[in-house]
Amino acid sequence: MKIKKLSLTFFLLTFISTAVFSQINNDDFKPSGKAFAKIFSNFHSSFSDKENFNTFEITRSYFGYSYQMSKNISAKVTLDVGNPASGKYEQIAFLKNALINYDDDKFSVNFGLIGMSQFKIQEKAFGYRYIYKSFQDAYKFGPSADLGLNVKYKIHKFISVDATISNGEGYKEVQADSTFKVALGLSLYPFKGLTLRGYYDYLKNDEAQSTLAIFLGYKNKNVSFGAEYNIQENNKMIENQDFSGYSAFSTYKINDKIKIFGRYDKLESVKIGNATDSWNIMKDGQYIIAGLEYAPLKGVKISPNYQGFIPDKSGESNISSIYMNLEVKF
């Protein structure tokens, strides 16, 4: 535990000293800030076993403020308002980001309540967060934000490395303890448009949880696609509670306002002991998304799409849903 505290202190001191040094000869810079908001909503109709359910949702609302203190230093605060999925409240607010950032193009540091690097590249490559979360986020391989420190270094225009030390419990459970999550990532850009990424993290209490992720993505003017494989051992630090899966997605740009896209996910978990079914059987299966995106105005996206789930559990019915998703940001 002492080593972990010393490591975090060392990184923090490095960050502060670098930030102070960056202020030298930077008198011409004029600080500025801006407020921002992003809202995800949808209407969908789901069909399963001859039953139909219609629902209108505001799934996520982000409100925040970013401030550029100097050429290299900025700060950001983001409030996340969403459905807690349990309890008596329909909407609840969380502080998702409260961070300070240093960035000089080659070297960057984030400290505070920060966004995790675990699936950020995959989420950006997919590009439809308002419709569905990226694989690791959707199936709870790790939180999207947490208390901690992230360091990224661009070794060359073709390669960058990143390291993160975080609380490990996510932005909704930020209590401090002696358990830290350590993560390492390597990103390669062999040529324009192509991204290769490997990621590994480790978190230990009574049992050690570890995650390995591999991603390949490509994007040009009109076409983009990506594929990823993810495996996690001892999910939530529970012995033998392992699961894995892969995701493949693609987008074709028809014109500046219209895109068509598709995605396929496969999630599976293992059986523990003498259990008849795998431990995550109610969520194991195949997920399919296909649709169209229309962007009539800057900051507005509309998507009619199909989302389907084919469960692995024997006797469970398939679920088919027709969605109309909306993203508004300003």
Side-chain angles (χ1 to χ4, degrees), residues 290-305:
L292 177 148
E293 179 183 82
Y294 176 55
L297 302 168
K298 182 180 179 181
V300 178
K301 296 177 181 178
I302 303 168
S303 174
N305 62 86

Side-chain angles (χ1 to χ4, degrees), residues 124-128 193 217-226 249-253 259-262:
K124 184 177 180 180
F126 176 52
Y128 300 99
Y218 176 76
K219 182 177 182 179
N220 63 24
K221 184 177 179 181
N222 296 317
V223 177
S224 66
F225 62 82
F249 50 84
S250 183
T251 292
Y252 177 73
K253 182 180 177 181
K259 299 176 183 177
I260 56 175
F261 61 90

